[in-house]
């Protein structure tokens, strides 16, 4: 069995399960999990430890844990905007999603942005706020894709930002 298949069969699903919630914590709390994932990628790919982490992630076509979290949140917003029937009904009618809609039709630079509603410092760390910020920061060409190719374009966009991410990431080294 190819090592990439091993990773996607036994590691990746465990990382993805509930990542929208658990990865919305302080980055330092995710440090051990991130380092473990980096070690696994290093071992499975049998490359020198001096190899760039970006190369490990790109060769397996996967994302770091913080980027996987962003990816899942952006997919959620995408479904909310373009395919709300794919979401459980509880989300469609919830306050969570009602606050993530476009609030006006005036011709301003940010007219297509999602509303950033928060009432406290903890609101700034909420999943709702983070998802809206991530969506608003996407290039408009990506935001406007209504077909199933959105996932691939989003993954490529996030993979292309890996080098920038690891330039300032606390988990850039594999120990």
């Amino acid at each position: 069995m190819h090592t990439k298949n091993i990773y996607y069969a036994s590691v990746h699903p465990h990382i993805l399960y509930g990542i929208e919630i658990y990865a919305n914590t302080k980055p330092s709390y995710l440090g051990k999990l991130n380092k473990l994932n980096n070690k696994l990628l290093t071992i499975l790919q049998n490359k020198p430890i001096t190899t760039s982490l970006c190369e490990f992630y790109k060769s397996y076509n996967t994302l770091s844990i913080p980027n996987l979290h962003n990816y899942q949140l952006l997919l959620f917003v995408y479904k909310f905007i373009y395919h709300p029937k794919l979401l459980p009904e509880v989300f469609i009618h919830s306050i969570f999603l009602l606050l993530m809609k476009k609030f006006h039709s005036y011709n301003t630079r940010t007219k297509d942005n999602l509303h950033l509603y928060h009432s406290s410092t903890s609101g700034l760390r909420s999943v709702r706020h983070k998802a809206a910020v991530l969506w608003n920061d996407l290039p408009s060409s990506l935001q406007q894709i209504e077909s199933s190719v959105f996932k691939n374009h989003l993954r490529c966009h996030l993979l292309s930002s890996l080098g920038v991410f690891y330039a300032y990431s606390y988990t850039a080294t594999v120990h």
Side-chain angles (χ1 to χ4, degrees):
M1 180 180 257
H2 191 268
T3 58
K4 188 174 182 178
N5 294 341
I6 293 170
Y7 179 79
Y8 276 99
S10 57
V11 177
H12 201 255
H14 292 286
I15 292 172
L16 277 183
Y17 185 76
I19 196 169
E20 299 88 350
I21 304 302
Y22 80 77
N24 196 42
T25 186
K26 293 180 181 179
S28 60
Y29 293 165
L30 290 177
K32 287 182 182 180
L33 182 59
N34 225 355
K35 285 180 183 181
L36 180 61
N37 192 42
N38 293 343
K39 280 183 183 181
L40 285 169
L41 287 171
T42 305
I43 292 166
L44 289 173
Q45 293 182 40
N46 197 26
K47 292 183 180 176
I49 200 163
T50 56
T51 306
S52 161
L53 281 176
C54 299
E55 195 175 316
F56 289 125
Y57 283 99
K58 286 181 181 181
S59 68
Y60 269 35
N61 195 30
T62 191
L63 299 164
S64 65
I65 292 171
N67 275 336
L68 276 173
H69 177 239
N70 294 347
Y71 178 77
Q72 292 299 115
L73 290 178
L74 287 165
L75 286 180
F76 186 83
V77 174
Y78 171 79
K79 286 178 188 174
F80 169 68
I81 292 173
Y82 294 112
H83 306 288
K85 293 186 185 212
L86 294 177
L87 295 173
E89 198 168 316
V90 69
F91 289 118
I92 296 169
H93 301 294
S94 75
I95 294 172
F96 173 80
L97 291 178
L98 292 175
L99 293 172
M100 282 182 48
K101 63 182 175 182
K102 300 173 183 183
F103 267 83
H104 64 80
S105 59
Y106 302 112
N107 195 17
T108 64
R109 284 183 308 221
T110 60
K111 75 174 182 151
D112 292 329
N113 283 359
L114 296 176
H115 180 63
L116 300 175
Y117 174 81
H118 58 84
S119 59
S120 65
T121 306
S122 62
L124 291 172
R125 291 185 41 89
S126 71
V127 171
R128 172 183 62 216
H129 181 79
K130 184 173 183 177
V133 168
L134 288 169
W135 183 262
N136 292 344
D137 287 345
L138 279 180
S140 60
S141 59
L142 200 54
Q143 288 179 356
Q144 295 168 2
I145 297 174
E146 294 184 36
S147 67
S148 60
V149 298
F150 174 78
K151 281 183 168 184
N152 291 332
H153 286 277
L154 178 59
R155 182 177 292 279
C156 288
H157 174 74
L158 293 173
L159 274 170
S160 70
S161 70
L162 270 179
V164 175
F165 173 77
Y166 282 110
Y168 63 86
S169 173
Y170 62 93
T171 59
T173 58
V174 180
H175 295 286

